[in-house]
Amino acid sequence: MKKTSTRLADGRELIYYDLRDDSVRDAADRRPLERTVTTSEIRRDVLLGDAVAVASHRQGRTYHPPADECPLCPTRGGRLSEIPDSSYDVVVFENRFPSLAGDSGRCEVVCFTSDHDASFADLTGEQARLVLDAWTDRTSELSHLPSVEQVFCFENRGAEIGVTLGHPHGQIYAYPFTTPRTALMLRSLAAHREANGGQNLFDAVLERELAGERVVLEGEHWAAFVPYAAHWPYEVHLYPKRRVPDLLALDEAARAEFPRVYLELLKRFDRIFGEGEPPTPYIAAWHQAPFGALPAFDGVSRDDFALHLELFTIRRTSGKLKFLAGSESGMNVFINDVPPERAAERLREVASS
């Protein structure tokens, strides 16, 4: 992998990740852009104990442009975009309309391929590995920013999810705090450790799932399963079999196997609802341990956390979405229409031939 860092016309950082070591990335951003001005602010909810990012400048962000005006495609001919070069393998840049900025963290966009009509599932194994390496590199770099406590790599796919740009891409949020979902996991981890003689909860969960009926696929270094208490109609958790706290700690064997396992999972997601159905909308979310000490969670260190990816769709059946209505949105109590065992069975049925 070759990494080349440059700057866009408004001062934002842009980084090319190339498969070839002889790639030259010296194209300049020729757009007449002024410096980006953001209004991101973190506000604490004293009743719930969580945080809300207020970012009014995002109201003006690009919204469903036609394909020939996509800002994530390479710059070609007279059409200028966020990527100055005429082609790329993987590129990462600071979001022009970030939810988090400055002392409130940082937001980045990750473009998986220059092919506007592709999806992550269409990538080759080599391309998917390059994305993994880019996620890892950005996790390392962002973790050293003084304002950052947790790094979250994710992909939103599909208009039903709320995606406003159709080009295959994901995002990275670098938060200045430990996110509420991670804090819940850490509290459960601490309580389980206390009640079970120091046993690690993530290890116990993985062991139980691998012995059960909800395994979707299993490799030498990775395992994918539908969790016992899945929140979403079709939800898969992908774990490395050797517990590590973050992407940085994955060994070469796990990195080498990841593309095959993950690409197979994504292909199965597109087959869930049968032939002729539109691509399955999904969210793919990497859960990594926060950086630094964890004083709020008795006896738990970041090495006790287990890196894993959660992949889920909001489509519950053909032509129908799972909406977060009263119970989910009002009380955070999910109601799942698809038994996890049946979801796992269906994801095994649609394996690639």
Side-chain angles (χ1 to χ4, degrees):
M1 178 186 78
K2 181 180 180 181
K3 175 182 175 182
T4 305
S5 180
T6 184
R7 292 281 170 179
L8 296 172
D10 56 6
R12 289 175 294 133
E13 185 178 19
L14 180 142
I15 307 161
Y16 294 98
Y17 293 90
D18 285 295
L19 292 167
R20 293 172 54 96
D21 289 337
D22 59 355
S23 297
V24 177
R25 300 298 185 183
D26 55 6
D29 183 4
R30 295 181 280 121
R31 296 173 297 170
L33 297 180
E34 296 181 356
R35 287 263 172 186
T36 300
V37 177
T38 63
T39 58
S40 181
E41 175 189 1
I42 301 297
R43 296 190 180 184
R44 298 283 176 178
D45 185 320
V46 296
L47 291 179
L48 297 180
D50 60 8
V52 175
V54 180
S56 60
H57 62 276
R58 284 174 53 78
Q59 287 281 36
R61 66 188 183 274
T62 308
Y63 187 80
H64 292 301
D68 61 357
E69 296 179 16
C70 175
L72 306 185
C73 287
T75 290
R76 288 174 182 160
R79 192 182 63 78
L80 307 179
S81 76
E82 288 279 66
I83 297 92
D85 217 319
S86 59
S87 67
Y88 62 85
D89 292 333
V90 173
V91 71
V92 177
F93 60 88
E94 288 183 76
N95 198 320
R96 190 177 178 188
F97 304 97
S99 303
L100 309 166
D103 292 340
S104 297
R106 176 159 156 151
C107 293
E108 298 182 341
V109 176
V110 184
C111 297
F112 304 138
T113 171
S114 60
D115 184 352
H116 181 85
D117 297 317
S119 68
F120 201 118
D122 297 322
L123 301 183
T124 66
E126 186 179 37
Q127 289 173 310
R129 169 62 189 266
L130 184 61
V131 176
L132 175 64
D133 290 342
W135 283 332
T136 304
D137 181 70
R138 297 315 301 151
T139 296
S140 175
E141 292 290 329
L142 293 170
S143 70
H144 288 95
L145 296 179
S147 63
V148 172
E149 189 169 314
Q150 187 171 7
V151 179
F152 176 46
C153 307
F154 65 100
E155 179 191 2
N156 297 329
R157 192 250 207 154
E160 301 93 330
I161 297 294
V163 174
T164 58
L165 297 176
H167 196 102
H169 73 288
Q171 298 181 66
I172 302 175
Y173 277 21
Y175 298 101
F177 51 79
T178 296
T179 60
R181 189 174 178 87
T182 302
L184 285 174
M185 293 184 196
L186 292 169
R187 282 197 284 273
S188 296
L189 191 62
H192 184 88
R193 179 190 181 99
E194 176 67 22
N196 294 275
Q199 183 190 50
N200 184 280
L201 177 58
F202 286 110
D203 293 349
V205 167
L206 183 58
E207 181 179 0
R208 181 187 70 183
E209 293 292 359
L210 288 178
E213 60 182 315
R214 290 180 297 276
V215 175
V216 173
L217 63 88
E218 184 178 356
E220 183 179 355
H221 303 284
W222 294 87
F225 57 86
V226 177
Y228 171 75
H231 289 58
W232 298 94
Y234 291 91
E235 175 181 341
V236 175
H237 292 191
L238 177 63
Y239 277 68
K241 289 185 175 179
R242 182 180 70 87
R243 173 166 45 88
V244 295
D246 52 39
L247 290 165
L248 303 173
L250 287 173
D251 60 24
E252 177 53 33
R255 292 181 183 280
E257 187 181 71
F258 171 78
R260 178 182 65 81
V261 175
Y262 187 49
L263 292 174
E264 172 64 18
L265 272 182
L266 294 180
K267 289 180 173 67
R268 293 190 191 191
F269 256 58
D270 273 342
R271 296 190 183 101
I272 293 172
F273 303 105
E275 296 294 330
E277 287 291 319
T280 301
Y282 66 73
I283 293 174
W286 280 108
H287 291 263
Q288 305 191 79
F291 291 90
L294 302 172
F297 308 98
D298 293 340
V300 172
S301 73
R302 68 184 313 274
D303 287 334
D304 294 317
F305 193 87
L307 167 76
H308 63 284
L309 181 140
E310 297 184 8
L311 173 68
F312 59 90
T313 179
I314 62 171
R315 187 177 291 164
R316 57 188 174 88
T317 189
S318 179
K320 297 179 181 178
L321 301 180
K322 166 64 179 176
F323 291 103
L324 300 189
S327 185
E328 292 89 354
S329 295
M331 283 296 171
N332 201 29
V333 178
F334 276 67
I335 300 168
N336 191 349
D337 303 298
V338 180
E341 293 73 22
R342 174 54 190 148
E345 181 182 21
R346 178 59 180 159
L347 285 162
R348 291 192 296 269
E349 288 173 353
V350 295
S352 298
S353 58

